[in-house]
Amino acid sequence: MYFPITRMRRLRKTEEIRNIVRETKLNKEDLIYPIYFKEALKGDEKEPITSMPGEFRYSLDSGVEFAKHLEEKGLKSIIVFGVPLENTKDEIATPAFKEDGIVQKAIARLKEETNLVVISDVCLCQYTSHGHCGLIVENDDTDFGLEILNDESLEYIAKVAVSHAKAGADIVAPSDMMDGRVDAIREALDSEGFENVAIMSYSAKYASAFYEPFREAACSSPGLGHRKSYQMDPANAREAIRECELDVAEGADFLMVKPALPYLDIVRMVKDEFNLPLVAYNVSGEYSMIMAAIEKGYLTERAISESLLSIKRAGADLIITNFAPYVLENDLIE
């Protein structure tokens, strides 16, 4: 049937009609908030992240209080990042797997004082003196004179995951992009009695320009070179399926695509191929560019909900996003 019998505008006539026929809906439980705990901050201290308008690094106390506030607003899950004392960083990321590390303390407090699902980011970059996601060795045959060691790094990445599980993490999320890390973590968790701790793998993590504000937030920029030898080439799509296949085979419980907005095609491909819950990381650069445009008056806050809806529409079940507080506090979810 065609016009005038079929009139598509009938289903757009009022807000009530638009609401009941809406195909994609954003729910509060879809959002995961990334929070940054900085060891050097004390009491109720927090410090602004200059490249991420409205975002902060938190002390242990202030971060837990903010998490409680967001839980009251409807947040269901949170992912924890740590910023250790600069003088404690070393070649093997010792602060990342210390029993009394900042992330371990934050996990324990969050589990004790909230009902949030607590996810921990598992990586070495914030905790190494060189800023890479694995151990390094000099190698003149590489792009910048350093080789990021894959197999040797797995032991330390698994140690980080186990330390987070011991602190109470519900889910560990390896973001390092070393081959075989999911298998190494699963084996380490199971051997320590943490069979029920889930793994949310950063499966298709691209070497993206959209991470720059996060690197300031987490103080995790590599001291030399880049991460292109372990993070994915932005030009590649089919490779993402191979990465996800390997993670599924190794025991991942969630898959992830990172970043989100520039990689919506990858989100859809992964969703169509696999049955695991799919997470998309709406990364710091995506957040900062929209917030900057809103502050300048170039966009309105509707751009936030529209961008998040696009990620859900592409197939994501969950979205890690710094927009979570803004969305929850301003009732942007209809």
Side-chain angles (χ1 to χ4, degrees):
M1 297 289 184
Y2 297 98
F3 179 83
I5 296 175
T6 300
R7 293 178 180 266
M8 297 300 293
R9 289 180 56 190
R10 291 181 190 129
L11 301 183
R12 304 170 192 155
K13 181 179 177 181
T14 66
E15 182 176 358
E16 290 75 19
I17 292 175
R18 292 193 297 272
N19 285 342
I20 66 171
V21 300
R22 184 163 291 130
E23 298 174 23
T24 305
K25 296 186 178 181
L26 185 66
N27 303 303
K28 292 179 179 180
E29 57 264 30
D30 299 333
L31 305 178
I32 302 171
Y33 181 57
I35 189 167
Y36 312 95
F37 286 93
K38 185 172 180 178
E39 193 166 10
L41 299 177
K42 305 299 179 184
D44 61 357
E45 290 180 328
K46 64 180 182 179
E47 61 182 21
I49 301 168
T50 57
S51 59
M52 299 176 69
E55 286 290 274
F56 298 86
R57 302 179 197 87
Y58 293 93
S59 70
L60 192 58
D61 289 339
S62 65
V64 171
E65 287 305 309
F66 187 54
K68 290 179 183 178
H69 167 72
L70 293 180
E71 185 179 21
E72 291 175 358
K73 293 289 185 178
L75 187 73
K76 302 299 182 184
S77 52
I78 198 164
I79 183 166
V80 179
F81 295 86
V83 183
L85 297 172
E86 193 65 30
N87 63 4
T88 65
K89 296 182 180 184
D90 60 23
E91 291 286 309
I92 60 170
T94 300
F97 49 85
K98 285 173 52 181
E99 183 178 333
D100 61 347
I102 184 61
V103 167
Q104 289 79 359
K105 289 179 179 178
I107 291 169
R109 287 279 302 275
L110 288 166
K111 289 304 298 179
E112 180 181 347
E113 299 181 36
T114 77
N115 291 312
L116 293 167
V117 175
V118 178
I119 307 161
S120 69
D121 180 79
V122 175
C123 200
L124 306 185
C125 59
Q126 297 106 291
Y127 310 92
T128 55
S129 51
H130 48 75
H132 278 286
C133 301
L135 308 187
I136 63 170
V137 66
E138 292 184 6
N139 185 341
D140 292 337
D141 293 332
T142 63
D143 291 344
F144 50 91
L146 292 178
E147 179 182 355
I148 289 75
L149 299 172
N150 190 94
D151 296 13
E152 294 85 347
S153 300
L154 298 181
E155 174 189 351
Y156 294 92
I157 292 163
K159 286 177 70 172
V160 176
V162 169
S163 75
H164 293 176
K166 287 180 177 178
D170 300 294
I171 302 168
V172 295
S175 60
D176 54 281
M177 286 301 286
M178 299 297 119
D179 292 336
R181 77 275 176 69
V182 173
D183 181 63
I185 290 171
R186 185 74 273 158
E187 182 177 347
L189 289 174
D190 291 357
S191 68
E192 293 283 345
F194 296 110
E195 297 92 346
N196 292 323
V197 172
I199 299 174
M200 178 185 288
S201 179
Y202 287 63
S203 305
K205 180 179 179 180
Y206 286 84
S208 173
F210 285 86
Y211 301 152
E212 292 306 318
F214 169 86
R215 290 175 180 170
E216 184 214 333
C219 304
S220 64
S221 295
L224 180 66
H226 51 71
R227 294 177 176 148
K228 295 179 182 179
S229 69
Y230 46 104
Q231 294 178 358
M232 289 180 57
D233 187 335
N236 294 351
R238 293 190 302 272
E239 184 183 359
I241 299 301
R242 296 188 64 195
E243 287 281 7
C244 291
E245 285 176 341
L246 290 167
D247 284 354
V248 171
E250 292 175 20
D253 300 286
F254 299 78
L255 300 175
M256 188 191 300
V257 175
K258 181 183 180 184
L261 293 177
Y263 296 87
L264 294 179
D265 59 323
I266 308 302
V267 174
R268 172 47 57 190
M269 286 175 61
V270 172
K271 183 66 173 181
D272 288 345
E273 190 73 23
F274 302 98
N275 292 321
L276 270 64
L278 177 59
V279 184
Y281 200 139
N282 181 220
V283 300
S284 58
E286 300 169 51
Y287 170 86
S288 293
M289 67 180 182
I290 292 175
M291 289 300 289
I294 291 171
E295 287 188 350
K296 289 284 188 180
Y298 302 153
L299 296 174
T300 70
E301 65 179 18
R302 288 182 58 199
I304 296 173
S305 53
E306 187 174 341
S307 63
L308 294 175
L309 275 172
S310 76
I311 300 168
K312 280 293 300 284
R313 192 178 63 246
D317 299 297
L318 299 166
I319 304 171
I320 300 174
T321 180
N322 293 93
F323 284 125
Y326 197 92
V327 168
L328 295 171
E329 291 171 353
N330 292 281
D331 296 320
L332 297 188
I333 294 178
E334 297 180 4

